[in-house]
Amino acid sequence: MTTIKDVAKYAKVSVATVSRVLNQKGYVSKEAEQAVKTAIEMLNYKPNAVARTLYHKTSGMIGLLVPDIANPFFPELARAIEDVALKKGYTVVLCNTDNELKKEQHYVHALQQKYVDGLILATGTGTYEHYETLDLPVVALDRFVSANIPTVVSENKNGAKAATEHLIEQGCAFIAHLRGPKGLNPADERYEGFKEVVEANGIAHIIVETGFQIEQAEEAVRALLEKHPTIDGIFTSSDVAAAGAMKAAHTLKRSIPEDLQIVGFDGILFGNMLVPSLTTVQQPIYEMGELAIQLLVQLIEKRSLQSYWHELPTTLTIRGTTKGGGA
């Protein structure tokens, strides 16, 4: 393997001169700089990434923490982040926390040891104090961490209101809401939007906490429909939960959308692959990830931000699981 000493010898300069060229620090004559660049090219020299990281205390890497990589919403977010990061010269390190505080803390510590340049936080256990004092640029994505940390979210409450209003407009008289975990900002806002609409319209309703897992949602909906057979509408806090609701309805031979109408939330790609295709509240997933990485790069490069709060609009996409939608 070619070393920095080999480059210096070939270019007929000192090791210190080669180092100054590589690190772009200190004066080097144009002749010496060209000689070093020629030597690097001729010898196919690759600087030691570990040594450069230790020297500069920077790595060109960005940590992305997600709560559940099995949920298709997060890989879609990660895709956008990776696309933009690569264009800007950064490598994304994906960390799946499983919503466990110990795993989250382990990853943060490990990333710090590797001198990552910044973090995008799309996970959390409900306590975020340690991020406020973290000596590292941080952007919160699909989570609210602190007013001091740039945040990118979608209009969760407005999206939930639109979903619930759509079910009522389609004739639903008894609506169930499968809500996400209490204390999780997006789930809380979707719950608040649902509750505001059903109460304002005097609609019978029931609320069950299922998280975002398909199995929990399927089990909960099966129990709900057996106990309350007059439920004719369901608004779920995620598309994954909506898929679980559809499985339960199929098991109980409830026809969708004739007997039961369902609206999800997220707008992930697989919603259009379900049969019937899923009516959902579409989050601008790619745009959210794209904006988060752009904000983080601005922080890393010590450029000022015009705003720390970014709330992107959602769109109700009507498909086959509600009346009036397509197949």
Side-chain angles (χ1 to χ4, degrees):
M1 183 180 293
T2 305
T3 68
I4 193 170
K5 290 181 180 179
D6 297 325
V7 173
K9 184 177 179 181
Y10 189 100
K12 298 179 181 178
V13 298
S14 68
V15 170
T17 298
V18 177
S19 179
R20 283 196 289 270
V21 172
L22 291 172
N23 297 314
Q24 297 182 341
K25 286 186 178 181
Y27 172 75
V28 179
S29 70
K30 288 194 178 296
E31 294 80 6
E33 182 180 7
Q34 187 56 53
V36 170
K37 288 181 176 178
T38 300
I40 288 171
E41 184 178 350
M42 294 301 294
L43 298 175
N44 194 28
Y45 173 66
K46 306 293 184 187
N48 186 307
V50 174
R52 287 174 65 83
T53 295
L54 292 172
Y55 180 81
H56 292 286
K57 301 295 189 288
T58 181
S59 63
M61 294 193 297
I62 287 168
L64 170 60
L65 278 70
V66 300
D68 181 11
I69 197 63
N71 184 331
F73 174 72
F74 295 104
E76 289 187 32
L77 271 183
R79 173 63 186 272
I81 291 167
E82 185 183 42
D83 283 353
V84 176
L86 198 59
K87 290 175 185 175
K88 293 183 178 292
Y90 292 91
T91 300
V92 177
V93 180
L94 181 62
C95 303
N96 178 57
T97 70
D98 287 322
N99 277 314
E100 293 179 10
L101 181 58
K102 282 188 176 180
K103 283 189 74 173
E104 185 179 324
Q105 291 174 332
H106 167 77
Y107 280 130
V108 171
H109 179 70
L111 291 168
Q112 283 182 291
Q113 295 294 308
K114 300 296 183 184
Y115 295 112
V116 292
D117 296 327
L119 294 178
I120 295 179
L121 182 68
T123 188
T125 57
T127 174
Y128 297 100
E129 292 84 358
H130 50 294
Y131 289 104
E132 298 224 44
T133 56
L134 197 64
D135 187 24
L136 199 62
V138 177
V139 170
L141 177 57
D142 192 45
R143 300 288 187 272
F144 175 74
V145 175
S146 161
N148 300 318
I149 291 177
T151 303
V152 178
V153 294
S154 71
E155 292 181 344
N156 290 291
K157 186 173 181 179
N158 285 345
K161 289 170 70 173
T164 311
E165 287 166 355
H166 176 63
L167 287 170
I168 294 171
E169 288 166 2
Q170 299 308 310
C172 294
F174 187 3
I175 305 175
H177 175 43
L178 307 187
R179 64 159 296 159
K182 292 178 182 177
L184 185 64
N185 188 253
D188 289 345
E189 290 188 349
R190 293 167 198 175
Y191 159 77
E192 288 165 8
F194 168 80
K195 205 162 189 306
E196 189 174 302
V197 171
V198 290
E199 289 180 350
N201 287 273
I203 299 294
H205 60 278
I206 189 167
I207 297 161
V208 179
E209 183 177 347
T210 61
F212 298 131
Q213 283 74 40
I214 190 169
E215 295 83 4
Q216 291 180 13
E218 181 183 2
E219 185 179 338
V221 170
R222 192 184 299 117
L224 273 175
L225 294 178
E226 287 174 343
K227 188 174 182 181
H228 305 282
T230 56
I231 289 174
D232 54 2
I234 299 177
F235 167 51
T236 68
S237 199
S238 75
D239 287 349
V240 172
M246 291 175 68
K247 284 185 68 178
H250 178 74
T251 300
L252 297 175
K253 297 183 171 23
R254 294 288 296 271
S255 179
I256 302 171
E258 291 77 16
D259 301 330
L260 182 67
Q261 300 186 66
I262 299 174
V263 180
F265 201 111
D266 280 336
I268 55 180
L269 293 173
F270 101 130
N272 203 29
M273 302 174 191
L274 298 172
V275 180
S277 56
L278 179 64
T279 294
T280 185
V281 178
Q282 175 76 55
Q283 295 195 77
I285 300 174
Y286 195 93
E287 290 81 0
M288 289 169 67
E290 188 175 39
L291 179 55
I293 183 63
Q294 288 171 346
L295 291 170
L296 185 63
V297 170
Q298 284 182 254
L299 289 178
I300 292 169
E301 296 177 352
K302 303 191 184 304
R303 289 185 280 149
S304 60
L305 303 182
Q306 292 184 339
S307 173
Y308 272 49
W309 178 256
H310 301 268
E311 190 173 22
L312 280 61
T314 55
T315 306
L316 180 65
T317 301
I318 300 171
R319 299 194 186 112
T321 56
T322 56
K323 294 174 182 177

